Amino acid sequence: MQTQLGSAVFPRLLRRSLSYIPSILYSLHWLLNLFHFFRFLSNSSPQSQKHKEMASPFLSNTIISFSSSLSSSSSLPRLAPSIPFSAIRSKSTPRRILTVRSKIREIFMPALSSTMTEGKIVSWVKSEGDVLSKGESVVVVESDKADMDVETFYDGILAAIVVGEGETALVGAAIGVLAETEDEIAEAKAKAASKSGASTPSAPPPAPTPAAASTPAPPKSTPAPAAPTVAEGPRKTVATPYAKKLAKQHKVDIESVVGTGPYGRITPEDIEAAAGLSPSKKNVGLAVVVETKPAAPAKAPAASAAPSSLPPPVPGSTVVPFTTMQSAVSKNMVESLSVPTFRVGYPVTTDALDALYEKVKPKGVTMTALLAKAAAMALAQHPVVNSSCKDGKSFTYNSNINIAVAVAINGGLITPVLQDADKLDLYLLSQKWKELVEKARAKQLQPQEYNSGTFTLSNLGMFGVDRFDAILPPGQGAIMAVGASKPTVVADADGFFSVKNKMLVNVTADHRIIYGADLAAFLQTFSKIVENAESLTL
Amino acid sequence: MHSTLSFSQATTVPTTNYAFHSQSPINLRFCGLRREAFGISILTRSSSGRVRLSTRGRSKRTSASTGNNGTPPKSFDYDLIIIGAGVGGHGAALHAVEKGLKTAIIEGDVVGGTCVNRGCVPSKALLAVSGRMRELQSEHHMKALGLQVSAAGYDRQGVADHANNLASKIRSNLTNSMKALGVDILTGFGTIVGPQKVKYGKVGFTDNVVTAKDIIIATGSVPFVPKGIEVDGKTVITSDHALKLEFVPDWIAIVGSGYIGLEFSDVYTALGSEVTFIEALDQLMPGFDPEISKLAQRVLINPRKIDYHTGVFATKITPARDGKPVIVELTDAKTKEHKDTLEVDAALIATGRAPFTYGLGLENINVVTQRGFVPVDERMRVIDANGNLVPHLYCIGDANGKMMLAHAASAQGISVVKQVTGRDHVLNHLSVPAACFTHPEISMVGLTEPQAREKAEKEGFEISVAKTSFKANTKALAENEGEGLAKLIYRPDNGEILGVHIFGLHAADLIHEASNAVALGTRIQDIRFAVHAHPTLSEVLDELFKSAKVLDMKTLRKMKS
C-alpha cells in the first residue's frame, strides 16, 4: 500500500495541483511585489535573489521529505507485492541498505483508500506479546470508507501497541511494533515508547491534529515561544464543514487560512485556493520536519505551527498572516522553483510600433493588444515556445495560442487570457481585452478566462521599468517581461548615429522544452514583427 | 380481485382467520368503496392493508347495522368521537365507519395533522427533489451510467411549491374520503368535559357539547424545542418551517440526528447547503441498529458536506440578527461544561416531538400526563392518576408516545375500533415498520441487534444474524446503487424473525415483506422459498431469508409432532 501511495498517488496529486490553474495566477502576484520594489529600488536583481533565498529552505525540505518517502517505499514491492493492505514495512533500514537486518519492525497505518489520510483503530485482533504468523489479521482499521483487517507480512511477536483502540493515526504513522524474537521485545518496547512519545498524532482525541500538524506555512502565525501579544486577535477560526473536510484532505492548516465567507468564515473555496499548487507530499514532508522537535505536545496545533528554523521575530514587529491569495502565491512561488528556467533578453526597436499605436489608438486599440498580437504571431511560428512540459517527459504542444496578460487589480493580480490571439484581428482583440479587464475588476471572470493561458505577457513599461525578469508560472513554457520603450542613441553599420525607441524584452522559459536557440529565434521573430508593425493590422 | 385471491392462497398464510371466499355483491360494492378510500389514503400503509382483509368476512353484518342507524341503547350523539384528524384519527374513523359506528372527528386545525401538513408528506416531496439532485450532481454516477448532464440546478420556490401542493392534495383526499364515508368533521378545538362528553368550538364562538359512547384522543404532537433555544421561524427553525423551504442556507446546524434531522440533512446537502449535526448522544443516528447506523454514517454523512458534534447539547441558540450569524452554544452532555460555540446561517431543531395534549381537559377526568404524554395500557386505554382505566377513553398516536409514527397511530386507531366493536385486539408494535427516507433509505422492523441480544439473554434463547449486501443484487447494480446492507436477526431454533434492518435503495419499500412476516408470525422456514421476481431489489430479502440458518426442518417437525 505504501508503494501505491508512493508511486500512484503522489504523481497524481502533483499533476492535479500543477493543473490547478487559478493559483497559477497568484504566482504572478510577485511580479506586482516586484514592481513595488522597482519603484523604490534601482536594481531589481537583489530582490529576486532574496526571493529565491527565502524560498529555498522550503524547496530543500520538499526534496528531503520526498526522497525519504521514496526510499521507504522502494523497499516495499518486495515485501508486499500483492497484498494490498499489508501494513508492515521495514523501518530500521534507513534507506541504502534494503536487506533487512534488524528484526524490529514497525506496523504502519495503511492507506486503505486513495482518499484516506488517517485511520482509526477499531480493534487490535492481537494483543501485546502474541505471536504472529505471516498473513494473520493483526488489527482492524476504520477508514473513511470501511473497516478493514490489516494483516502482517512477517512472522514475529507483537511487542508493543503504539496507537490504542479507538485512537486515530495518520496514514504511514507507526501504530505498533513487531519483534522477531523474544529477546528483542524489550528493545522494541523502548522503540515504541519513544514513538508514542515523539509522534503525537494519536494522543489528543478530538482535535483534528493531522490537519494541524501538516501546516504548510510554519513561518507565520503563532510564534510559539512567547509572543502572544504579537499575533492577531483572539477570534477563533470558523470554518464550514466542507472546508474542514477539504483542509484535511489537502492537508491545509486551517488556522493559516483567512476566511472570506460571511462573518469571516473559512469557506471551501478558501481552502481550495490555499491548497493551491502544493502537492500533499510537500506538506507531509514539512510536517515531518516540524514534528522532529515538538516542544510540548500538549497543544498540538501550536506545537506544530511553531517555526522550527526561523530566527525569533525582532521585538516590536507585527505578524500579519497571509491572506488566502497570499498563501497561494507563496506556495506557487516555491513550486515554481521545481522548473529549471533561464532567461533571454532582446532589445526591440519600437518606432514602427509606436507610430502604429498612435494611429490605431483612437480606434480603441491598446498597447497590450498590440504586444499580445505580436507575441501571438511570433508564437505561431515557434510552437515550441507555446508548448509546456507537464510531466518532465514530454512536450505538450498547445493547439491554441492563448496569451495571458498580467493585470494588477486592487491589491491582487489576475491574468485574463486573450484566447486565440493569433487568429483574432487587432480590433477584436482590443475589444475582447476591454471586456476582460472590466470583468476582472468586477471579479466576474470565468475560470477559462483566466486559466487557459499558454504564454504570459507582463508589461511594467508604463512605470518606467526598463527591464525585469518574470517567474515562469507553473504549467506554461514561457513568460515575457516587457520594459519601457525609451529613445536610445544607436549607431548603424555605416557609423551613422540616430535616435530610435528601444525596449528590452526578457523571456523566462522552461529549459526542459525550450532551449536557448529556440528562445532567441522566437525573440528575433518577435522583434521583426514589432519592427514591421503594419503586419499587426493584417 | 382474482389476483389477490390467488396470491393469498399461494403464500399459504398460516393463520387464516379470514374468510376470503365470499363473492357476494355486497362484498364487491364494499370493496369498491374501500378501494377508493384506500387509493386516497396512501398514508395508512400497511395498516390499511390489514383493514381490508378484515372487512370482507364481516361486510354483511356491517351493512345491516348501518341500516339500523347504529344507535346504541343509551342515547349518545355518536358511537365514536375522535379528537384530532391526523393520520391516526383518519385511520380510526375509516375503520369505525366500516364497522358501522356513527363517527365524528374533531379537528381544530387542518385535516391531516402533522404527517400530511408538516411532516412525512411534504418532506417526501423535498426528498424526491433531493434524490434527483443528488443523482444529477453525481458526475461519477452519471458517467458510470453513460449519461451526460451539463448542470443540475433548482428553483427554490418551485421545490417549495411541490411540497406544498402535495400536502394540500393529500389533505383534500383525506377530507374527501372521510366525507364520502359519512364521518362528521366537527371544526374546533376539542376538550373533554367529562366521561363520554366532549366540547368543541372555535375561539370566539360558542362551544358545542357532544356525547359519544367511546372517545379516542388523537391529538398528535408538535416539534419539541429544548430550553434555551429561541425559534424565530426564519434562521432558527423547526421542521414545520423547514418544510416550507423559505430559504436554503449556506450552512445549517441540525440539532438531533434522528429521522427528521437525517432526512433534512439529505435535503439540504443536495440543495447545496453544508450541515453540522449536533447530537446529544455519543453516536450519530442513535435510534438505529448500530451496524446500520455505522454504515449509514459512511454513506450519508462522511462523504457529504456534513460535520458533527456528538455528546453535546445545544444549550443556547440565538437567531441571526443585528448583523450577527446564528450562534449555537454547545455544552458537553456529561460534564455540563461549555464546549464550543458555532456560528452558522441557520439552525434546524430536530430534537424530536412533544405530545400535543395541553387543553384537552384531561383534568376533568382525573388523568395526569407524563411529560405531556397520555398514559395508556397496551390496548390504548387511558389510565387515570390512580392507575385505573378510564372507561370508554382511548389515546392513540404521538399523544401516547408509544411509537411516534403516522402508520403506528393509524394501526393503534384500528386496534381501538376493533376493541370497541367487541373484538379484543392488542397491536404488536414490533411488527410496525419504520423508515427514514434518505438516499439511500433506511428501514427497520422489530428489534435492533443489541435489543435482541438483551432479550435473548433474559429469556434464555440463542439468536443469529444473517446479512446480505445490495452489491450482489442485480437490480441494485443495474441502477448503479450497490451500496447497502440488509440484516436479519432471528432465532435459529424456531426461525422466528426478531428484527430486520435494511439500508439501501428503496429500503422503505422493501421492509414490508419482513414486517408482514412479523405481523403474521411467519417463520423464516415458511417464507425462505417463496419466489421473488428476478431481477428485483426484493431479492435482497430473498437472499437474506435463504442465508439464515434455521435448525434442521426435520428435527423441528419431529419436535412439533
Side-chain angles (χ1 to χ4, degrees):
Chain A
M1 208 51 216
Q2 287 297 320
T3 324
Q4 293 189 2
L5 189 74
S7 62
V9 179
F10 281 173
R12 207 184 64 204
L13 286 172
L14 190 68
R15 230 176 299 142
R16 187 199 297 159
S17 40
L18 277 174
S19 62
Y20 192 81
I21 308 184
S23 38
I24 292 174
L25 308 173
Y26 300 138
S27 72
L28 296 169
H29 185 70
W30 95 245
L31 287 176
L32 195 72
N33 294 343
L34 195 62
F35 133 68
H36 284 303
F37 273 91
F38 266 107
R39 294 173 80 178
F40 302 109
L41 303 173
S42 57
N43 189 353
S44 72
S45 52
Q47 170 56 15
S48 60
Q49 209 52 43
K50 207 180 283 173
H51 243 283
K52 273 172 230 155
E53 279 162 15
M54 268 174 66
S56 57
F58 297 97
L59 181 68
S60 57
N61 282 351
T62 313
I63 289 167
I64 286 166
S65 74
F66 190 56
S67 62
S68 68
S69 77
L70 269 181
S71 65
S72 54
S73 60
S74 66
S75 65
L76 258 161
R78 277 181 330 111
L79 306 177
S82 59
I83 302 216
F85 299 129
S86 165
I88 318 263
R89 63 177 185 181
S90 153
K91 167 70 186 207
S92 47
T93 55
R95 77 176 67 161
R96 281 145 297 162
I97 317 153
L98 290 178
T99 42
V100 181
R101 285 277 143 70
S102 164
K103 312 282 171 50
I104 298 165
R105 301 186 174 93
E106 290 179 357
I107 302 171
F108 290 88
M109 174 62 71
L112 301 179
S113 71
S114 56
T115 54
M116 178 173 168
T117 54
E118 57 171 17
K120 187 174 161 191
I121 309 288
V122 177
S123 62
W124 281 92
V125 181
K126 302 285 176 180
S127 38
E128 289 185 8
D130 281 2
V131 178
L132 312 177
S133 50
K134 218 159 123 176
E136 265 187 312
S137 287
V138 184
V139 59
V140 181
V141 169
E142 180 185 327
S143 76
D144 50 345
K145 299 241 159 54
D147 289 354
M148 303 289 290
D149 281 7
V150 176
E151 50 195 44
T152 168
F153 224 66
Y154 291 98
D155 295 337
I157 299 160
L158 183 59
I161 287 170
V162 179
V163 180
E165 290 183 4
E167 292 177 14
T168 304
L170 286 175
V171 167
I175 55 175
V177 182
L178 190 69
E180 194 157 283
T181 63
E182 290 196 19
D183 307 338
E184 287 148 359
I185 289 181
E187 194 190 330
K189 278 197 167 156
K191 195 172 176 180
S194 69
K195 266 281 156 199
S196 54
S199 66
T200 53
S202 58
T209 43
S214 59
T215 165
K220 59 147 292 295
S221 85
T222 49
T229 49
V230 188
E232 71 270 49
R235 195 186 149 71
K236 70 177 208 124
T237 313
V238 176
T240 73
Y242 189 46
K244 284 184 208 154
K245 263 180 199 172
L246 278 179
K248 210 168 187 180
Q249 202 180 322
H250 296 292
K251 301 199 161 77
V252 172
D253 176 15
I254 211 142
E255 299 292 328
S256 72
V257 178
V258 174
T260 62
Y263 315 107
R265 78 170 63 125
I266 297 165
T267 63
E269 293 75 33
D270 293 334
I271 299 293
E272 278 168 359
L277 275 171
S278 67
S280 60
K281 63 168 168 59
K282 181 175 75 185
N283 300 331
V284 171
L286 280 172
V288 168
V289 172
V290 171
E291 274 174 14
T292 49
K293 40 158 99 178
K299 235 188 161 186
S304 58
S308 51
S309 56
L310 293 180
V314 178
S317 64
T318 311
V319 177
V320 179
F322 282 160
T323 62
T324 312
M325 182 194 264
Q326 287 161 343
S327 346
V329 170
S330 164
K331 276 179 199 149
N332 287 326
M333 289 301 90
V334 174
E335 183 58 29
S336 73
L337 293 174
S338 64
V339 176
T341 55
F342 73 113
R343 292 147 193 90
V344 175
Y346 205 97
V348 180
T349 308
T350 61
D351 291 287
L353 185 71
D354 294 339
L356 177 67
Y357 181 49
E358 285 308 316
K359 215 156 69 182
V360 294
K361 202 176 175 181
K363 294 174 191 168
V365 174
T366 61
M367 186 49 97
T368 301
L370 283 167
L371 288 171
K373 179 74 181 167
M377 286 171 70
L379 285 170
Q381 293 179 42
H382 300 271
V384 72
V385 184
N386 195 44
S387 72
S388 58
C389 181
K390 309 259 188 218
D391 53 2
K393 283 186 278 195
S394 61
F395 295 80
T396 301
Y397 286 100
N398 296 300
S399 50
N400 297 6
I401 295 174
N402 298 339
I403 308 287
V405 186
V407 180
I409 47 159
N410 273 350
L413 179 89
I414 197 145
T415 54
V417 174
L418 285 165
Q419 288 174 353
D420 293 314
D422 58 328
K423 297 197 183 84
L424 292 182
D425 76 49
L426 203 50
Y427 303 100
L428 273 175
L429 211 57
S430 301
Q431 202 186 328
K432 186 85 197 147
W433 179 244
K434 215 177 137 201
E435 287 169 22
L436 285 171
V437 170
E438 272 166 17
K439 271 188 170 176
R441 296 230 159 91
K443 297 194 171 151
Q444 280 171 345
L445 283 179
Q446 298 299 306
Q448 79 275 5
E449 289 176 325
Y450 60 76
N451 66 15
S452 57
T454 58
F455 180 87
T456 302
L457 188 65
S458 181
N459 183 3
L460 293 179
M462 55 287 219
F463 298 107
V465 169
D466 69 340
R467 83 197 84 170
F468 71 107
D469 135 26
I471 285 190
L472 180 65
Q476 291 183 18
I479 178 170
M480 179 185 277
V482 181
S485 177
K486 283 184 177 166
T488 310
V489 178
V490 288
D492 68 11
D494 299 322
F496 290 109
F497 282 52
S498 62
V499 173
K500 290 217 149 86
N501 284 336
K502 289 228 168 214
M503 74 175 180
L504 288 169
V505 299
N506 192 5
V507 178
T508 306
D510 182 346
H511 206 299
R512 289 175 300 176
I513 46 173
I514 301 162
Y515 301 165
D518 296 328
L519 212 47
F522 163 75
L523 280 165
Q524 193 178 24
T525 308
F526 177 76
S527 166
K528 283 219 174 93
I529 291 168
V530 171
E531 281 164 22
N532 298 293
E534 285 304 323
S535 67
L536 291 171
T537 59
L538 297 178
Chain B
M1 272 319 289
H2 274 288
S3 60
T4 336
L5 273 175
S6 62
F7 183 70
S8 60
Q9 277 165 351
T11 44
T12 61
V13 179
T15 50
T16 327
N17 335 357
Y18 310 120
F20 280 171
H21 308 289
S22 69
Q23 287 203 326
S24 66
I26 304 166
N27 188 14
L28 280 175
R29 181 177 58 98
F30 221 93
C31 280
L33 189 59
R34 192 66 192 84
R35 194 183 297 135
E36 182 195 48
F38 185 66
I40 293 160
S41 61
I42 321 146
L43 298 155
T44 51
R45 294 214 179 103
S46 61
S47 47
S48 295
R50 253 169 276 145
V51 175
R52 180 149 71 160
L53 288 177
S54 61
T55 50
R56 286 183 194 143
R58 253 160 259 279
S59 48
K60 269 184 193 167
R61 243 190 301 153
T62 308
S63 52
S65 66
T66 317
N68 278 351
N69 248 352
T71 323
K74 236 174 116 187
S75 170
F76 288 106
D77 296 333
Y78 291 100
D79 295 327
L80 179 67
I81 284 183
I82 301 158
I83 306 174
V87 170
H90 176 260
L94 254 54
H95 192 54
V97 170
E98 281 176 10
K99 292 288 182 186
L101 301 184
K102 191 181 179 208
T103 308
I105 197 159
I106 300 175
E107 178 54 61
D109 189 19
V110 282
V111 170
T114 297
C115 172
V116 173
N117 299 294
R118 300 173 299 271
C120 352
V121 172
S123 67
K124 295 303 96 55
L126 299 184
L127 283 158
V129 173
S130 78
R132 284 173 172 80
M133 277 299 285
R134 207 171 276 297
E135 214 169 321
L136 293 173
Q137 284 167 345
S138 169
E139 214 173 291
H140 169 73
H141 180 85
M142 285 290 155
K143 216 180 252 171
L145 291 172
L147 286 176
Q148 287 172 351
V149 177
S150 55
Y154 69 92
D155 159 34
R156 184 200 54 78
Q157 193 55 49
V159 179
D161 289 348
H162 174 49
N164 192 33
N165 293 343
L166 178 69
S168 48
K169 186 171 192 173
I170 303 297
R171 183 166 60 234
S172 71
N173 283 351
L174 230 60
T175 313
N176 293 341
S177 72
M178 289 198 292
K179 279 184 183 158
L181 288 171
V183 176
D184 282 352
I185 300 174
L186 311 176
T187 310
F189 200 84
T191 306
I192 297 165
V193 288
Q196 296 170 294
K197 201 180 280 179
V198 180
K199 75 168 184 196
Y200 71 95
K202 282 184 180 169
V203 182
F205 291 86
T206 47
D207 288 346
N208 301 305
V209 176
V210 282
T211 56
K213 184 170 167 287
D214 294 290
I215 296 170
I216 297 178
I217 298 167
T219 44
S221 61
V222 290
F224 170 66
V225 178
K227 270 185 199 160
I229 296 177
E230 187 185 333
V231 171
D232 70 346
K234 301 239 160 20
T235 54
V236 180
I237 57 179
T238 66
S239 55
D240 289 1
H241 311 106
L243 288 165
K244 293 183 189 148
L245 202 72
E246 277 170 355
F247 91 120
V248 178
D250 288 344
W251 183 6
I252 184 166
I254 299 182
V255 186
S257 64
Y259 295 77
I260 306 172
L262 268 183
E263 290 190 355
F264 275 108
S265 79
D266 195 281
V267 171
Y268 279 118
T269 51
L271 299 184
S273 303
E274 295 182 40
V275 169
T276 297
F277 268 121
I278 298 163
E279 172 58 53
L281 297 175
D282 289 334
Q283 287 287 320
L284 285 178
M285 297 179 252
F288 299 89
D289 184 85
E291 200 170 349
I292 296 288
S293 65
K294 196 171 188 183
L295 178 63
Q297 186 174 333
R298 286 203 182 111
V299 177
L300 301 176
I301 310 274
N302 295 349
R304 296 185 182 171
K305 295 176 179 179
I306 302 177
D307 69 350
Y308 50 85
H309 299 263
T310 53
V312 291
F313 290 121
T315 36
K316 188 161 187 260
I317 299 184
T318 321
R321 61 182 159 223
D322 307 330
K324 282 185 189 156
V326 175
I327 295 172
V328 183
E329 297 203 355
L330 300 182
T331 304
D332 192 293
K334 290 193 189 78
T335 63
K336 308 287 176 208
E337 280 167 13
H338 177 261
K339 206 168 170 193
D340 206 347
T341 304
L342 304 180
E343 295 177 8
V344 292
D345 297 319
L348 169 67
I349 314 306
T351 40
R353 301 187 61 87
F356 180 63
T357 52
Y358 180 77
L360 251 178
L362 293 169
E363 62 284 355
N364 299 332
I365 43 165
N366 192 28
V367 171
V368 179
T369 58
Q370 292 165 358
R371 292 182 300 124
F373 293 108
V374 178
V376 293
D377 71 352
E378 81 277 8
R379 288 178 173 80
M380 312 303 142
R381 294 179 291 196
V382 176
I383 300 169
D384 71 10
N386 305 324
N388 301 320
L389 294 177
V390 180
H392 305 293
L393 184 64
Y394 301 83
C395 178
I396 61 166
D398 288 5
N400 71 28
K402 270 189 183 290
M403 196 178 211
M404 295 173 86
L405 293 169
H407 49 275
S410 185
Q412 290 171 356
I414 288 159
S415 171
V416 169
V417 171
K418 277 184 182 164
Q419 291 172 57
V420 303
T421 51
R423 209 175 125 236
D424 190 31
H425 185 265
V426 178
L427 176 68
N428 176 12
H429 283 93
L430 287 177
S431 73
V432 177
C436 182
F437 295 82
T438 43
H439 295 94
E441 297 169 341
I442 312 170
S443 64
M444 71 197 78
V445 66
L447 305 174
T448 63
E449 190 177 337
Q451 285 168 343
R453 291 208 180 280
E454 198 187 318
K455 187 180 176 191
E457 200 161 305
K458 210 182 285 171
E459 297 177 14
F461 59 84
E462 290 285 309
I463 64 163
S464 293
V465 174
K467 283 179 243 179
T468 51
S469 165
F470 279 64
K471 282 197 181 77
N473 182 276
T474 311
K475 188 72 192 308
L477 292 177
E479 301 282 343
N480 203 17
E481 306 263 8
E483 197 89 62
L485 172 82
K487 176 174 174 179
L488 166 69
I489 303 149
Y490 65 101
R491 281 180 69 156
D493 56 345
N494 62 10
E496 184 188 346
I497 299 168
L498 300 172
V500 174
H501 303 266
I502 311 175
F503 173 74
L505 186 62
H506 295 308
D509 293 312
L510 291 175
I511 194 69
H512 298 100
E513 184 170 4
S515 65
N516 288 352
V518 175
L520 298 173
T522 314
R523 314 249 150 178
I524 293 167
Q525 57 271 33
D526 299 325
I527 51 168
R528 71 190 315 175
F529 296 115
V531 179
H532 294 70
H534 176 75
T536 58
L537 291 172
S538 71
E539 288 171 293
V540 171
L541 286 194
D542 188 19
E543 285 291 316
L544 187 64
F545 292 132
K546 285 197 168 87
S547 67
K549 289 188 174 57
V550 183
L551 289 179
D552 184 45
M553 299 282 280
K554 275 182 190 167
T555 46
L556 274 172
R557 254 183 237 131
K558 266 178 205 164
M559 281 161 67
K560 273 183 186 170
S561 60

